[in-house]
Structures are given as structure tokens and as C-alpha cells.
Amino acid sequence: MSKLVIVGTVAFDAIETPFGKTDKILGGAATYIGLAASQFNADGAIVSVVGGDFPQEDITMLQNKGMNVEGLEIVKEGKTFFWSGKYHNDMNTRDTLATELNVLETFSPVVPDAYKDAEVVMLGNLHPMVQMGVIDQMNDPKLVVLDTMNFWMDIALDDLKKVIAKVDVITINDEEARQLSGEYSLVNAAKKIFTMGPKYVVIKKGEHGALIFHKDQMFFAPALPLAEVFDPTGAGDTFAGGFTGYLAKTGDYSFENMKRAIIHGSCLASFCVEKFGTERMQDLKREEVNKRLHQFKSLTQFDIQLT
Ligand code: AMP
């Protein structure tokens, strides 16, 4: 198994969906990525920052999931990154109500020495210059994956483009792919994004699954239709954690294996949305994942006679 470096926010979230509302609960891109990657027993290290207001029990929980937290800085006198969002009735779109960078504003990431030779780097959502700071510390990773969001396109596009130029894979949602490329068609958006650097483009479409593009090939992973979706927060990060956790576990970075990796990502994301925040991902058992992978297979498998 290869090592995995995960950078992203470790956060407090306040979420409102048509089913309820939460006060500040555990969230953050790196938290969801780490929880998803832990399903593969990936040897992962989280590189991030929190304030003195962050509970030790949440750090211990991440450690118990097998995550190395040497690179999780605690700024005692600072406040943890805070995000608040409200979902629309379709549960696929949301408004960001607040983004408070707090300790992230002055964060300078430090990758633990033992992880500088990691094969896979997952640059989760946070400031593009922090993502760049992590790339610069790595020895010679085999695969660098970047996730980002409209917030950074709006306030740090030039920096973001510099990081995009250095990565192998980008994972973004459909609206962000359109914003970044200026193309409406996702096929054309992927083509345009290839010219910015990445050889693989993954476009997440929420409840409509995810697409991966490479050269002139494409592959689609559905999202599992669920009877009840409580909170989509973190689904994209969980997808990315499943994708990179699977690739780190198998050590195979071919397009064929990436197809399996996006199915694993989609499968894990289907659990994330079943409860508020990280609750479902914290309790998730390997047997449940295996069972659901079978459901994914039968969802799209069909026999057809082609001439
Ligand atoms: P997702 O639903 O996959 O887009 O991820 C939501 C998670 O990303 C939440 O737990 C937030 O704490 C975190 N988040 C929201 N906005 C940002 C941002 N601008 N930068 C980094 N992380 C963010």
C-alpha cells in the first residue's frame, strides 16, 4: 500500500437542510477525505490547521481511524475555520452563508517527514497557495489530485491556475467546471481543463453521479438513488477520499483503475449523505461498503447483443 497525504480544511460547519439544522459540528474537506480514505486502511496523513477551540476528541477520532495527525497544526489562540451553508429543496444546490478562514489565513503547511515520499497527494479544498506549499514539499509523488471550489475561483483564480498546472487529476463539480472553463458542455469543459495541465478531469454531478475524462475517453459512475438524503455536505470530499484512498491502496494509477476508483468514491459518498455531518462516515463498516458495491454493479450492468 502506498502512502497518502491529505491537505484540506478541518472545520466547524453549521448546516441547514429541509430536514433540519445543526449548530457547529465537525466538518472540513480533509476530515471527510480522511474518513473516506480510512475505509481502505490507507496510510494517510492529514495536513491542516485548527484553533484552540477544536475538540481533542475529534483529533483522537481521526487518529483512531488510522490517520497520522503530525501535520495537523493547533493554533491555541486562534479559531478553527468555519463554514455555514443552506441547502435548497432539491438538496443538490446550496448557498454558502458564511466562510470564516480564521487560522487558515496565516497557515503554512508542514508535511511530516515520513510522508514526503508518499505516492498519492490529495489536495483538498483550501487556499491554492497552501495546496502549492504541500506540492513543493513532496519528493516525487506518482499522483497529485486537486479538489477546489467556486470560492477559490472567485478570490484566488491566478493562484489556483498555478496549482492546476501542476496536478495530474482535478475533481470539481459541474458548475465549477463550467465556471473554470467558460464552457457549458462538460465534454468541452474537460477538454479546456486538459489544456490547463491535468491529464484526468473528474466532474462530480451530485445526485447524478460523476464523470472521468482522459484524452478522448470518458467513463461514468452513477450515484446510488437513495430514498432519504439528509445532508449532502462533504459528499464531494468523501468521493475524493474514496477515489484517492482506493488508488493509494492498489498503487495502480492507470485509467482502468481510476474507473474502479470513481465507483468506490461514489459508493462512499452515498453513505455520507445519509446523516448530518460526518456521523455516518464515522460509523461506517467495511461490510456495508462491500454490500453497496454490489448494488452499484447491478445498477448499471446489462446484457446487450451488439452486431
Ligand atoms: P463538499 O460538500 O464536499 O463541497 O464539502 C463541504 C465541506 O467543505 C464542509 O465541511 C466545509 O467545512 C468545507 N468547505 C466549505 N467551503 C470551503 C472553502 N472555501 N475552502 C475549504 N473548505 C471549505
Side-chain angles (χ1 to χ4, degrees):
M1 193 198 317
S2 24
K3 287 181 187 158
L4 169 67
V5 167
I6 298 165
V7 62
T9 42
V10 172
F12 286 135
D13 290 347
I15 304 157
E16 196 175 333
T17 80
F19 300 103
K21 205 174 162 171
T22 67
D23 222 354
K24 284 189 172 181
I25 56 168
L26 172 65
T31 309
Y32 283 104
I33 294 168
L35 285 172
S38 73
Q39 284 296 326
F40 304 98
N41 297 322
D43 183 357
I46 292 183
V47 177
S48 190
V49 64
V50 290
D53 54 351
F54 194 78
Q56 177 59 44
E57 65 191 66
D58 288 337
I59 299 178
T60 307
M61 182 278 292
L62 290 168
Q63 280 178 305
N64 290 342
K65 293 282 176 189
M67 289 292 126
N68 177 296
V69 293
E70 256 176 277
L72 178 60
E73 190 188 331
I74 303 170
V75 181
K76 284 221 166 64
E77 63 289 358
K79 278 173 74 183
T80 300
F81 173 87
F82 172 69
W83 176 79
S84 158
K86 183 176 176 176
Y87 287 86
H88 302 160
N89 281 341
D90 67 2
M91 292 291 262
N92 226 16
T93 51
R94 70 184 178 204
D95 294 326
T96 288
L97 304 177
T99 302
E100 294 173 14
L101 297 179
N102 299 330
V103 287
L104 196 63
E105 231 153 323
T106 50
F107 176 50
S108 176
V110 179
V111 177
D113 282 340
Y115 287 84
K116 287 188 172 154
D117 62 351
E119 285 194 1
V120 184
V121 182
M122 178 64 230
L123 303 172
N125 210 345
L126 43 57
H127 195 292
M129 278 300 106
V130 176
Q131 296 176 317
M132 187 69 101
V134 168
I135 296 182
D136 289 345
Q137 292 173 57
M138 299 303 300
N139 287 335
D140 191 16
K142 294 226 165 93
L143 195 80
V144 182
V145 182
L146 173 127
D147 188 56
T148 189
M149 69 189 272
N150 52 358
F151 181 82
W152 302 113
M153 290 177 201
D154 293 340
I155 70 161
L157 185 60
D158 288 344
D159 289 340
L160 181 60
K161 283 187 174 165
K162 285 183 202 147
V163 188
I164 291 176
K166 296 208 158 202
V167 307
D168 304 293
V169 186
I170 182 169
T171 72
I172 43 176
N173 76 28
D174 42 4
E175 279 319 304
E176 291 153 358
R178 291 185 174 115
Q179 181 173 346
L180 184 64
S181 65
E183 297 283 347
Y184 183 81
S185 147
L186 296 180
V187 175
N188 290 337
K191 274 189 198 152
K192 193 84 165 269
I193 296 169
F194 287 149
T195 67
M196 300 177 181
K199 294 182 283 299
Y200 304 87
V201 175
V202 178
I203 300 183
K204 299 169 287 182
K205 288 156 55 71
E207 65 171 328
H208 304 298
L211 289 157
I212 181 164
F213 297 87
H214 174 56
K215 296 183 177 162
D216 53 0
Q217 306 175 75
M218 64 178 160
F219 177 75
F220 173 68
L224 192 70
L226 296 167
E228 279 168 348
V229 172
F230 277 98
D231 172 19
T233 308
D237 304 312
T238 300
F239 174 91
F243 178 73
T244 43
Y246 180 79
L247 291 172
K249 183 192 170 183
T250 53
D252 172 353
Y253 310 113
S254 64
F255 186 60
E256 279 313 303
N257 205 42
M258 283 191 195
K259 293 181 185 176
R260 290 186 275 274
I262 68 166
I263 296 286
H264 280 84
S266 203
C267 177
L268 289 176
S270 75
F271 288 105
C272 175
V273 302
E274 287 180 341
K275 287 191 180 162
F276 268 102
T278 57
E279 194 184 336
R280 186 68 175 100
M281 295 311 291
Q282 287 194 43
D283 296 342
L284 186 59
K285 306 274 175 308
R286 187 66 222 177
E287 309 81 73
E288 295 176 293
V289 179
N290 287 340
K291 204 168 150 206
R292 197 160 280 187
L293 281 168
H294 283 279
Q295 280 178 279
F296 264 83
K297 208 169 172 192
S298 52
L299 185 66
T300 48
Q301 216 168 32
F302 56 90
D303 267 329
I304 187 166
Q305 287 280 318
L306 297 174
T307 50

